[in-house]
Amino acid sequence: MHQQSFPRITISGLRGGSGKTIISLALTWLFTQQGFKVKAFKKGPDYIDAKWLSLASGQHASNLDPFLFSTSRIKFFFSSFAGTHDLAVIEGNRGLFDGMDTRGSCSTSELARILESPVLLVLDCTKVTRTTAAIVQGCAMFEENLDLAGVILNQTAGARHRDITRRSIEKYTDVPVLGALPKLKDTPIPERHMGLISSQEYQGQDEIFRALGKVVQDNIDVELVLNIAGSAPACTKTQNHVQEISSDPLKEEAVIGVVRDRALWFYYQENLDALRQQGAKLVELSLLTPEDWPRIHGLYLGGGFPETSARELSVNVVARQKVKDLADQGLPIYAECGGFMYLAESLHYEGEDFDMAGVFNVQTRVYKKPQGHGYIRAGIIEPNPFYTTGDTIVGHEFHYSRCLSLSPEARFCMRMERGTGMAGYKDGLLYRNVLAGYAHVHAFSVENWAVNFVRAAGIFREHVDKSTGPCPDIVCK
């Protein structure tokens, strides 16, 4: 282990919707424009904010989560970017101290302490002035070993509002005010039920970042933010916890298709990296176009917004039939949330039913309110190609759809110890070598997932090379 300089800053707020995402994006973009190689992180299981941070930095953003990852894993993964990147911007989630319990387990403040990162607090100042000083002082004193290094005022109404609020905080606390943003007439990035609209659906990112960058640069001391990031202690490079290539390497390369289009694009980059590390070749595919696919030995269907592309998915009969045929042939298919919805018989959205691939005898319907939201913990109760029976996995779910008309013969491989799942606190529907559910997993918290996926793809490859019949059911042991 050795010490390596790695400037860093964590952006947090008092609640969701405080403006921390806008400021995180703008600072990441501004630092990148200044020539810094910025590594952006999103605290918690969030795909959309992480995607926008990736666009702002020109580098893949990563997720950090004390529930999904051990402290040693977080430290190793974070420190692995020291020396290759100039600084890190970490965007928190929810309120600074909000966690899973009264102790604030897995909160942004806990993550900041793990990373020894200074924290900037974004404060929504709507209809409040001097009271902000009490709030800031309370935050500064609430937990030990938290470096609350500065405050950014947001949603300020005018010069007088900004002046009173700033002077109150500076008089009653030792926390500096780094700037104050005015109320913005229009949100630069439109929002949907899961937060920001995805970059897959909304173009004009360059104009968005320029607009955000100008607002922040005109109203925040960006140089002081950079100095605060530089005040973070040296980063300790810790032991490598990344799982090495399987001790039983594939005789030939397995090809895993990954659907990435407007309908499905929720993937942790580390999941894709883990599959490659285990010897797989990944090819990107689309369910929205009729183009032929290359020969594949496994298929990964991530989450996303299939409902917004439901008509296109439905009319593409070629792709739907292709996926159904591959499932019948015993192709290992792993589907998460939106990917599961595509494998159902139909998807009901805004009063219409759309035909899907029909791998499972179930319908899904999208509602206006979440049907499952939060961390999950599940026991593996049925043999399958991806997990060992008896194991426990952790992950998260965030879905506005739910299952309708589940067949009594439906087989599930997960029993939910925490979370909602599909029905009766079960998740992970099984058909042949297909596993589909609402649960999202991260390769850092379920390390054997990538090993087992690639091994199953290799078994399928070996079978089709020797036989013309369907591949037998594959069981992870």
Side-chain angles (χ1 to χ4, degrees), residues 344-376:
E345 282 189 342
S346 65
L347 188 163
H348 184 89
Y349 180 59
E350 295 187 343
E352 292 189 68
D353 288 305
F354 300 93
D355 290 335
M356 294 289 116
V359 173
F360 294 103
N361 181 23
V362 64
Q363 295 80 44
T364 64
R365 178 172 182 168
V366 179
Y367 293 82
K368 292 184 177 180
K369 294 183 178 180
Q371 303 300 300
H373 182 199
Y375 293 121
I376 67 103

PDB file of all heavy atoms in Angstrom, residues 344-376:
ATOM      1  N   ALA A 344     -41.760 -10.548 -21.342  1.00  0.00           N
ATOM      2  CA  ALA A 344     -43.133 -10.897 -21.014  1.00  0.00           C
ATOM      3  C   ALA A 344     -43.963 -11.028 -22.291  1.00  0.00           C
ATOM      4  O   ALA A 344     -43.497 -10.732 -23.403  1.00  0.00           O
ATOM      5  CB  ALA A 344     -43.731  -9.841 -20.092  1.00  0.00           C
ATOM      6  N   GLU A 345     -45.223 -11.468 -22.130  1.00  0.00           N
ATOM      7  CA  GLU A 345     -46.105 -11.574 -23.292  1.00  0.00           C
ATOM      8  C   GLU A 345     -46.499 -10.209 -23.823  1.00  0.00           C
ATOM      9  O   GLU A 345     -46.570  -9.996 -25.038  1.00  0.00           O
ATOM     10  CB  GLU A 345     -47.374 -12.353 -22.918  1.00  0.00           C
ATOM     11  CG  GLU A 345     -47.196 -13.857 -22.847  1.00  0.00           C
ATOM     12  CD  GLU A 345     -48.525 -14.569 -22.699  1.00  0.00           C
ATOM     13  OE1 GLU A 345     -49.513 -13.918 -22.312  1.00  0.00           O
ATOM     14  OE2 GLU A 345     -48.562 -15.777 -22.977  1.00  0.00           O
ATOM     15  N   SER A 346     -46.783  -9.280 -22.912  1.00  0.00           N
ATOM     16  CA  SER A 346     -47.223  -7.955 -23.349  1.00  0.00           C
ATOM     17  C   SER A 346     -46.893  -6.921 -22.289  1.00  0.00           C
ATOM     18  O   SER A 346     -46.644  -7.249 -21.122  1.00  0.00           O
ATOM     19  CB  SER A 346     -48.726  -7.943 -23.640  1.00  0.00           C
ATOM     20  OG  SER A 346     -49.467  -8.179 -22.459  1.00  0.00           O
ATOM     21  N   LEU A 347     -46.914  -5.660 -22.716  1.00  0.00           N
ATOM     22  CA  LEU A 347     -46.644  -4.519 -21.843  1.00  0.00           C
ATOM     23  C   LEU A 347     -47.816  -3.549 -21.997  1.00  0.00           C
ATOM     24  O   LEU A 347     -48.135  -3.127 -23.114  1.00  0.00           O
ATOM     25  CB  LEU A 347     -45.323  -3.867 -22.235  1.00  0.00           C
ATOM     26  CG  LEU A 347     -44.732  -2.759 -21.363  1.00  0.00           C
ATOM     27  CD1 LEU A 347     -43.253  -2.573 -21.709  1.00  0.00           C
ATOM     28  CD2 LEU A 347     -45.439  -1.418 -21.561  1.00  0.00           C
ATOM     29  N   HIS A 348     -48.452  -3.204 -20.885  1.00  0.00           N
ATOM     30  CA  HIS A 348     -49.572  -2.260 -20.904  1.00  0.00           C
ATOM     31  C   HIS A 348     -49.062  -0.891 -20.476  1.00  0.00           C
ATOM     32  O   HIS A 348     -48.516  -0.731 -19.383  1.00  0.00           O
ATOM     33  CB  HIS A 348     -50.687  -2.721 -19.963  1.00  0.00           C
ATOM     34  CG  HIS A 348     -51.894  -1.838 -20.011  1.00  0.00           C
ATOM     35  ND1 HIS A 348     -52.938  -2.038 -20.886  1.00  0.00           N
ATOM     36  CD2 HIS A 348     -52.217  -0.726 -19.294  1.00  0.00           C
ATOM     37  CE1 HIS A 348     -53.853  -1.107 -20.715  1.00  0.00           C
ATOM     38  NE2 HIS A 348     -53.442  -0.290 -19.744  1.00  0.00           N
ATOM     39  N   TYR A 349     -49.271   0.101 -21.345  1.00  0.00           N
ATOM     40  CA  TYR A 349     -48.756   1.441 -21.067  1.00  0.00           C
ATOM     41  C   TYR A 349     -49.702   2.477 -21.657  1.00  0.00           C
ATOM     42  O   TYR A 349     -50.039   2.422 -22.844  1.00  0.00           O
ATOM     43  CB  TYR A 349     -47.355   1.605 -21.657  1.00  0.00           C
ATOM     44  CG  TYR A 349     -46.724   2.957 -21.431  1.00  0.00           C
ATOM     45  CD1 TYR A 349     -46.511   3.455 -20.147  1.00  0.00           C
ATOM     46  CD2 TYR A 349     -46.315   3.738 -22.510  1.00  0.00           C
ATOM     47  CE1 TYR A 349     -45.920   4.695 -19.937  1.00  0.00           C
ATOM     48  CE2 TYR A 349     -45.702   4.982 -22.313  1.00  0.00           C
ATOM     49  CZ  TYR A 349     -45.516   5.452 -21.023  1.00  0.00           C
ATOM     50  OH  TYR A 349     -44.928   6.684 -20.822  1.00  0.00           O
ATOM     51  N   GLU A 350     -50.159   3.385 -20.791  1.00  0.00           N
ATOM     52  CA  GLU A 350     -51.038   4.486 -21.202  1.00  0.00           C
ATOM     53  C   GLU A 350     -52.228   3.997 -22.021  1.00  0.00           C
ATOM     54  O   GLU A 350     -52.546   4.515 -23.094  1.00  0.00           O
ATOM     55  CB  GLU A 350     -50.241   5.545 -21.968  1.00  0.00           C
ATOM     56  CG  GLU A 350     -49.198   6.244 -21.098  1.00  0.00           C
ATOM     57  CD  GLU A 350     -48.517   7.406 -21.795  1.00  0.00           C
ATOM     58  OE1 GLU A 350     -48.597   7.479 -23.048  1.00  0.00           O
ATOM     59  OE2 GLU A 350     -47.903   8.244 -21.104  1.00  0.00           O
ATOM     60  N   GLY A 351     -52.877   2.957 -21.500  1.00  0.00           N
ATOM     61  CA  GLY A 351     -54.110   2.493 -22.092  1.00  0.00           C
ATOM     62  C   GLY A 351     -53.976   1.538 -23.261  1.00  0.00           C
ATOM     63  O   GLY A 351     -54.987   1.109 -23.826  1.00  0.00           O
ATOM     64  N   GLU A 352     -52.765   1.185 -23.642  1.00  0.00           N
ATOM     65  CA  GLU A 352     -52.559   0.277 -24.771  1.00  0.00           C
ATOM     66  C   GLU A 352     -51.752  -0.941 -24.347  1.00  0.00           C
ATOM     67  O   GLU A 352     -50.908  -0.860 -23.455  1.00  0.00           O
ATOM     68  CB  GLU A 352     -51.826   0.989 -25.916  1.00  0.00           C
ATOM     69  CG  GLU A 352     -52.628   2.070 -26.604  1.00  0.00           C
ATOM     70  CD  GLU A 352     -51.917   2.575 -27.860  1.00  0.00           C
ATOM     71  OE1 GLU A 352     -51.796   1.806 -28.838  1.00  0.00           O
ATOM     72  OE2 GLU A 352     -51.474   3.742 -27.847  1.00  0.00           O
ATOM     73  N   ASP A 353     -52.011  -2.059 -25.016  1.00  0.00           N
ATOM     74  CA  ASP A 353     -51.240  -3.278 -24.820  1.00  0.00           C
ATOM     75  C   ASP A 353     -50.320  -3.487 -26.023  1.00  0.00           C
ATOM     76  O   ASP A 353     -50.763  -3.390 -27.171  1.00  0.00           O
ATOM     77  CB  ASP A 353     -52.167  -4.491 -24.677  1.00  0.00           C
ATOM     78  CG  ASP A 353     -52.890  -4.488 -23.341  1.00  0.00           C
ATOM     79  OD1 ASP A 353     -52.210  -4.426 -22.299  1.00  0.00           O
ATOM     80  OD2 ASP A 353     -54.135  -4.528 -23.347  1.00  0.00           O
ATOM     81  N   PHE A 354     -49.069  -3.781 -25.725  1.00  0.00           N
ATOM     82  CA  PHE A 354     -48.080  -3.988 -26.775  1.00  0.00           C
ATOM     83  C   PHE A 354     -47.489  -5.383 -26.636  1.00  0.00           C
ATOM     84  O   PHE A 354     -47.061  -5.772 -25.546  1.00  0.00           O
ATOM     85  CB  PHE A 354     -46.969  -2.937 -26.687  1.00  0.00           C
ATOM     86  CG  PHE A 354     -47.454  -1.522 -26.826  1.00  0.00           C
ATOM     87  CD1 PHE A 354     -47.775  -0.757 -25.701  1.00  0.00           C
ATOM     88  CD2 PHE A 354     -47.608  -0.956 -28.081  1.00  0.00           C
ATOM     89  CE1 PHE A 354     -48.224   0.539 -25.827  1.00  0.00           C
ATOM     90  CE2 PHE A 354     -48.054   0.348 -28.213  1.00  0.00           C
ATOM     91  CZ  PHE A 354     -48.365   1.096 -27.092  1.00  0.00           C
ATOM     92  N   ASP A 355     -47.456  -6.131 -27.714  1.00  0.00           N
ATOM     93  CA  ASP A 355     -46.879  -7.473 -27.690  1.00  0.00           C
ATOM     94  C   ASP A 355     -45.376  -7.397 -27.467  1.00  0.00           C
ATOM     95  O   ASP A 355     -44.674  -6.571 -28.069  1.00  0.00           O
ATOM     96  CB  ASP A 355     -47.151  -8.193 -29.008  1.00  0.00           C
ATOM     97  CG  ASP A 355     -48.621  -8.563 -29.179  1.00  0.00           C
ATOM     98  OD1 ASP A 355     -49.305  -8.706 -28.155  1.00  0.00           O
ATOM     99  OD2 ASP A 355     -49.056  -8.698 -30.336  1.00  0.00           O
ATOM    100  N   MET A 356     -44.876  -8.282 -26.598  1.00  0.00           N
ATOM    101  CA  MET A 356     -43.445  -8.377 -26.351  1.00  0.00           C
ATOM    102  C   MET A 356     -42.967  -9.770 -26.796  1.00  0.00           C
ATOM    103  O   MET A 356     -43.637 -10.443 -27.565  1.00  0.00           O
ATOM    104  CB  MET A 356     -43.149  -8.122 -24.875  1.00  0.00           C
ATOM    105  CG  MET A 356     -43.459  -6.696 -24.419  1.00  0.00           C
ATOM    106  SD  MET A 356     -42.320  -5.431 -25.070  1.00  0.00           S
ATOM    107  CE  MET A 356     -43.417  -4.447 -26.085  1.00  0.00           C
ATOM    108  N   ALA A 357     -41.831 -10.220 -26.304  1.00  0.00           N
ATOM    109  CA  ALA A 357     -41.208 -11.430 -26.845  1.00  0.00           C
ATOM    110  C   ALA A 357     -41.943 -12.714 -26.463  1.00  0.00           C
ATOM    111  O   ALA A 357     -41.835 -13.727 -27.152  1.00  0.00           O
ATOM    112  CB  ALA A 357     -39.746 -11.519 -26.387  1.00  0.00           C
ATOM    113  N   GLY A 358     -42.664 -12.716 -25.352  1.00  0.00           N
ATOM    114  CA  GLY A 358     -43.453 -13.885 -24.989  1.00  0.00           C
ATOM    115  C   GLY A 358     -42.658 -15.061 -24.445  1.00  0.00           C
ATOM    116  O   GLY A 358     -43.114 -16.198 -24.511  1.00  0.00           O
ATOM    117  N   VAL A 359     -41.489 -14.808 -23.883  1.00  0.00           N
ATOM    118  CA  VAL A 359     -40.720 -15.891 -23.265  1.00  0.00           C
ATOM    119  C   VAL A 359     -41.425 -16.366 -21.994  1.00  0.00           C
ATOM    120  O   VAL A 359     -41.441 -17.560 -21.689  1.00  0.00           O
ATOM    121  CB  VAL A 359     -39.283 -15.426 -22.952  1.00  0.00           C
ATOM    122  CG1 VAL A 359     -38.527 -16.481 -22.151  1.00  0.00           C
ATOM    123  CG2 VAL A 359     -38.548 -15.099 -24.244  1.00  0.00           C
ATOM    124  N   PHE A 360     -42.037 -15.439 -21.264  1.00  0.00           N
ATOM    125  CA  PHE A 360     -42.757 -15.769 -20.043  1.00  0.00           C
ATOM    126  C   PHE A 360     -44.247 -15.495 -20.216  1.00  0.00           C
ATOM    127  O   PHE A 360     -44.646 -14.510 -20.835  1.00  0.00           O
ATOM    128  CB  PHE A 360     -42.232 -14.937 -18.859  1.00  0.00           C
ATOM    129  CG  PHE A 360     -40.817 -15.251 -18.487  1.00  0.00           C
ATOM    130  CD1 PHE A 360     -39.790 -14.402 -18.851  1.00  0.00           C
ATOM    131  CD2 PHE A 360     -40.509 -16.396 -17.770  1.00  0.00           C
ATOM    132  CE1 PHE A 360     -38.476 -14.685 -18.513  1.00  0.00           C
ATOM    133  CE2 PHE A 360     -39.205 -16.692 -17.415  1.00  0.00           C
ATOM    134  CZ  PHE A 360     -38.187 -15.837 -17.794  1.00  0.00           C
ATOM    135  N   ASN A 361     -45.049 -16.364 -19.623  1.00  0.00           N
ATOM    136  CA  ASN A 361     -46.501 -16.229 -19.675  1.00  0.00           C
ATOM    137  C   ASN A 361     -46.954 -15.248 -18.594  1.00  0.00           C
ATOM    138  O   ASN A 361     -47.528 -15.621 -17.570  1.00  0.00           O
ATOM    139  CB  ASN A 361     -47.153 -17.599 -19.478  1.00  0.00           C
ATOM    140  CG  ASN A 361     -48.662 -17.530 -19.557  1.00  0.00           C
ATOM    141  OD1 ASN A 361     -49.215 -16.603 -20.158  1.00  0.00           O
ATOM    142  ND2 ASN A 361     -49.334 -18.492 -18.946  1.00  0.00           N
ATOM    143  N   VAL A 362     -46.689 -13.973 -18.831  1.00  0.00           N
ATOM    144  CA  VAL A 362     -47.017 -12.924 -17.872  1.00  0.00           C
ATOM    145  C   VAL A 362     -47.152 -11.606 -18.622  1.00  0.00           C
ATOM    146  O   VAL A 362     -46.542 -11.415 -19.680  1.00  0.00           O
ATOM    147  CB  VAL A 362     -45.923 -12.823 -16.782  1.00  0.00           C
ATOM    148  CG1 VAL A 362     -44.582 -12.403 -17.387  1.00  0.00           C
ATOM    149  CG2 VAL A 362     -46.319 -11.843 -15.690  1.00  0.00           C
ATOM    150  N   GLN A 363     -47.980 -10.728 -18.084  1.00  0.00           N
ATOM    151  CA  GLN A 363     -48.099  -9.385 -18.637  1.00  0.00           C
ATOM    152  C   GLN A 363     -47.575  -8.387 -17.604  1.00  0.00           C
ATOM    153  O   GLN A 363     -47.625  -8.651 -16.401  1.00  0.00           O
ATOM    154  CB  GLN A 363     -49.557  -9.042 -18.971  1.00  0.00           C
ATOM    155  CG  GLN A 363     -50.178  -9.896 -20.069  1.00  0.00           C
ATOM    156  CD  GLN A 363     -50.634 -11.256 -19.553  1.00  0.00           C
ATOM    157  OE1 GLN A 363     -51.245 -11.344 -18.492  1.00  0.00           O
ATOM    158  NE2 GLN A 363     -50.325 -12.322 -20.294  1.00  0.00           N
ATOM    159  N   THR A 364     -47.063  -7.262 -18.082  1.00  0.00           N
ATOM    160  CA  THR A 364     -46.646  -6.201 -17.161  1.00  0.00           C
ATOM    161  C   THR A 364     -47.431  -4.932 -17.480  1.00  0.00           C
ATOM    162  O   THR A 364     -47.836  -4.699 -18.624  1.00  0.00           O
ATOM    163  CB  THR A 364     -45.140  -5.900 -17.253  1.00  0.00           C
ATOM    164  OG1 THR A 364     -44.818  -5.398 -18.556  1.00  0.00           O
ATOM    165  CG2 THR A 364     -44.314  -7.146 -16.969  1.00  0.00           C
ATOM    166  N   ARG A 365     -47.623  -4.129 -16.464  1.00  0.00           N
ATOM    167  CA  ARG A 365     -48.349  -2.862 -16.625  1.00  0.00           C
ATOM    168  C   ARG A 365     -47.577  -1.767 -15.909  1.00  0.00           C
ATOM    169  O   ARG A 365     -47.118  -1.957 -14.770  1.00  0.00           O
ATOM    170  CB  ARG A 365     -49.763  -2.978 -16.056  1.00  0.00           C
ATOM    171  CG  ARG A 365     -50.564  -1.688 -16.142  1.00  0.00           C
ATOM    172  CD  ARG A 365     -52.019  -1.905 -15.754  1.00  0.00           C
ATOM    173  NE  ARG A 365     -52.782  -0.674 -15.891  1.00  0.00           N
ATOM    174  CZ  ARG A 365     -54.100  -0.595 -15.841  1.00  0.00           C
ATOM    175  NH1 ARG A 365     -54.814  -1.716 -15.668  1.00  0.00           N
ATOM    176  NH2 ARG A 365     -54.726   0.545 -15.960  1.00  0.00           N
ATOM    177  N   VAL A 366     -47.451  -0.615 -16.564  1.00  0.00           N
ATOM    178  CA  VAL A 366     -46.731   0.527 -15.996  1.00  0.00           C
ATOM    179  C   VAL A 366     -47.718   1.433 -15.273  1.00  0.00           C
ATOM    180  O   VAL A 366     -48.759   1.810 -15.831  1.00  0.00           O
ATOM    181  CB  VAL A 366     -45.984   1.310 -17.098  1.00  0.00           C
ATOM    182  CG1 VAL A 366     -45.267   2.518 -16.493  1.00  0.00           C
ATOM    183  CG2 VAL A 366     -44.993   0.407 -17.811  1.00  0.00           C
ATOM    184  N   TYR A 367     -47.400   1.782 -14.030  1.00  0.00           N
ATOM    185  CA  TYR A 367     -48.247   2.648 -13.209  1.00  0.00           C
ATOM    186  C   TYR A 367     -47.579   4.006 -13.004  1.00  0.00           C
ATOM    187  O   TYR A 367     -46.405   4.196 -13.346  1.00  0.00           O
ATOM    188  CB  TYR A 367     -48.520   1.976 -11.862  1.00  0.00           C
ATOM    189  CG  TYR A 367     -49.363   0.732 -11.977  1.00  0.00           C
ATOM    190  CD1 TYR A 367     -48.791  -0.490 -12.325  1.00  0.00           C
ATOM    191  CD2 TYR A 367     -50.733   0.770 -11.734  1.00  0.00           C
ATOM    192  CE1 TYR A 367     -49.565  -1.637 -12.446  1.00  0.00           C
ATOM    193  CE2 TYR A 367     -51.508  -0.372 -11.848  1.00  0.00           C
ATOM    194  CZ  TYR A 367     -50.927  -1.571 -12.207  1.00  0.00           C
ATOM    195  OH  TYR A 367     -51.692  -2.701 -12.332  1.00  0.00           O
ATOM    196  N   LYS A 368     -48.319   4.920 -12.430  1.00  0.00           N
ATOM    197  CA  LYS A 368     -47.790   6.270 -12.228  1.00  0.00           C
ATOM    198  C   LYS A 368     -46.913   6.372 -10.983  1.00  0.00           C
ATOM    199  O   LYS A 368     -46.114   7.299 -10.859  1.00  0.00           O
ATOM    200  CB  LYS A 368     -48.938   7.277 -12.141  1.00  0.00           C
ATOM    201  CG  LYS A 368     -49.681   7.454 -13.459  1.00  0.00           C
ATOM    202  CD  LYS A 368     -50.749   8.534 -13.364  1.00  0.00           C
ATOM    203  CE  LYS A 368     -51.431   8.732 -14.712  1.00  0.00           C
ATOM    204  NZ  LYS A 368     -52.477   9.794 -14.654  1.00  0.00           N
ATOM    205  N   LYS A 369     -47.090   5.431 -10.062  1.00  0.00           N
ATOM    206  CA  LYS A 369     -46.303   5.432  -8.833  1.00  0.00           C
ATOM    207  C   LYS A 369     -45.407   4.194  -8.787  1.00  0.00           C
ATOM    208  O   LYS A 369     -45.745   3.166  -9.374  1.00  0.00           O
ATOM    209  CB  LYS A 369     -47.216   5.470  -7.611  1.00  0.00           C
ATOM    210  CG  LYS A 369     -48.019   6.762  -7.487  1.00  0.00           C
ATOM    211  CD  LYS A 369     -48.855   6.759  -6.219  1.00  0.00           C
ATOM    212  CE  LYS A 369     -49.623   8.068  -6.074  1.00  0.00           C
ATOM    213  NZ  LYS A 369     -50.455   8.098  -4.840  1.00  0.00           N
ATOM    214  N   PRO A 370     -44.279   4.280  -8.079  1.00  0.00           N
ATOM    215  CA  PRO A 370     -43.382   3.123  -7.990  1.00  0.00           C
ATOM    216  C   PRO A 370     -44.090   1.905  -7.405  1.00  0.00           C
ATOM    217  O   PRO A 370     -44.845   2.015  -6.435  1.00  0.00           O
ATOM    218  CB  PRO A 370     -42.260   3.614  -7.075  1.00  0.00           C
ATOM    219  CG  PRO A 370     -42.286   5.100  -7.182  1.00  0.00           C
ATOM    220  CD  PRO A 370     -43.725   5.461  -7.368  1.00  0.00           C
ATOM    221  N   GLN A 371     -43.810   0.751  -7.975  1.00  0.00           N
ATOM    222  CA  GLN A 371     -44.338  -0.519  -7.476  1.00  0.00           C
ATOM    223  C   GLN A 371     -43.280  -1.286  -6.681  1.00  0.00           C
ATOM    224  O   GLN A 371     -43.585  -2.295  -6.046  1.00  0.00           O
ATOM    225  CB  GLN A 371     -44.827  -1.373  -8.651  1.00  0.00           C
ATOM    226  CG  GLN A 371     -45.869  -0.689  -9.514  1.00  0.00           C
ATOM    227  CD  GLN A 371     -47.122  -0.316  -8.739  1.00  0.00           C
ATOM    228  OE1 GLN A 371     -47.799  -1.187  -8.175  1.00  0.00           O
ATOM    229  NE2 GLN A 371     -47.440   0.974  -8.693  1.00  0.00           N
ATOM    230  N   GLY A 372     -42.071  -0.810  -6.726  1.00  0.00           N
ATOM    231  CA  GLY A 372     -40.965  -1.377  -5.963  1.00  0.00           C
ATOM    232  C   GLY A 372     -39.790  -0.434  -6.048  1.00  0.00           C
ATOM    233  O   GLY A 372     -39.426   0.012  -7.138  1.00  0.00           O
ATOM    234  N   HIS A 373     -39.223  -0.056  -4.891  1.00  0.00           N
ATOM    235  CA  HIS A 373     -38.165   0.957  -4.899  1.00  0.00           C
ATOM    236  C   HIS A 373     -37.286   0.781  -3.670  1.00  0.00           C
ATOM    237  O   HIS A 373     -37.767   0.866  -2.540  1.00  0.00           O
ATOM    238  CB  HIS A 373     -38.799   2.362  -4.889  1.00  0.00           C
ATOM    239  CG  HIS A 373     -37.789   3.470  -4.948  1.00  0.00           C
ATOM    240  ND1 HIS A 373     -38.098   4.765  -4.578  1.00  0.00           N
ATOM    241  CD2 HIS A 373     -36.495   3.489  -5.335  1.00  0.00           C
ATOM    242  CE1 HIS A 373     -37.024   5.524  -4.736  1.00  0.00           C
ATOM    243  NE2 HIS A 373     -36.041   4.767  -5.185  1.00  0.00           N
ATOM    244  N   GLY A 374     -36.017   0.499  -3.888  1.00  0.00           N
ATOM    245  CA  GLY A 374     -35.077   0.425  -2.770  1.00  0.00           C
ATOM    246  C   GLY A 374     -34.117  -0.743  -2.915  1.00  0.00           C
ATOM    247  O   GLY A 374     -34.071  -1.427  -3.934  1.00  0.00           O
ATOM    248  N   TYR A 375     -33.340  -0.949  -1.879  1.00  0.00           N
ATOM    249  CA  TYR A 375     -32.382  -2.044  -1.861  1.00  0.00           C
ATOM    250  C   TYR A 375     -33.116  -3.378  -1.703  1.00  0.00           C
ATOM    251  O   TYR A 375     -34.198  -3.451  -1.108  1.00  0.00           O
ATOM    252  CB  TYR A 375     -31.396  -1.875  -0.712  1.00  0.00           C
ATOM    253  CG  TYR A 375     -30.469  -0.699  -0.859  1.00  0.00           C
ATOM    254  CD1 TYR A 375     -30.439   0.304   0.106  1.00  0.00           C
ATOM    255  CD2 TYR A 375     -29.616  -0.591  -1.954  1.00  0.00           C
ATOM    256  CE1 TYR A 375     -29.583   1.388  -0.010  1.00  0.00           C
ATOM    257  CE2 TYR A 375     -28.761   0.490  -2.074  1.00  0.00           C
ATOM    258  CZ  TYR A 375     -28.749   1.481  -1.110  1.00  0.00           C
ATOM    259  OH  TYR A 375     -27.906   2.543  -1.239  1.00  0.00           O
ATOM    260  N   ILE A 376     -32.497  -4.433  -2.232  1.00  0.00           N
ATOM    261  CA  ILE A 376     -33.066  -5.765  -2.080  1.00  0.00           C
ATOM    262  C   ILE A 376     -32.014  -6.724  -1.531  1.00  0.00           C
ATOM    263  O   ILE A 376     -30.817  -6.530  -1.711  1.00  0.00           O
ATOM    264  CB  ILE A 376     -33.639  -6.311  -3.416  1.00  0.00           C
ATOM    265  CG1 ILE A 376     -32.517  -6.560  -4.451  1.00  0.00           C
ATOM    266  CG2 ILE A 376     -34.674  -5.361  -3.983  1.00  0.00           C
ATOM    267  CD1 ILE A 376     -32.124  -7.981  -4.632  1.00  0.00           C
TER     268      ILE A 376
END
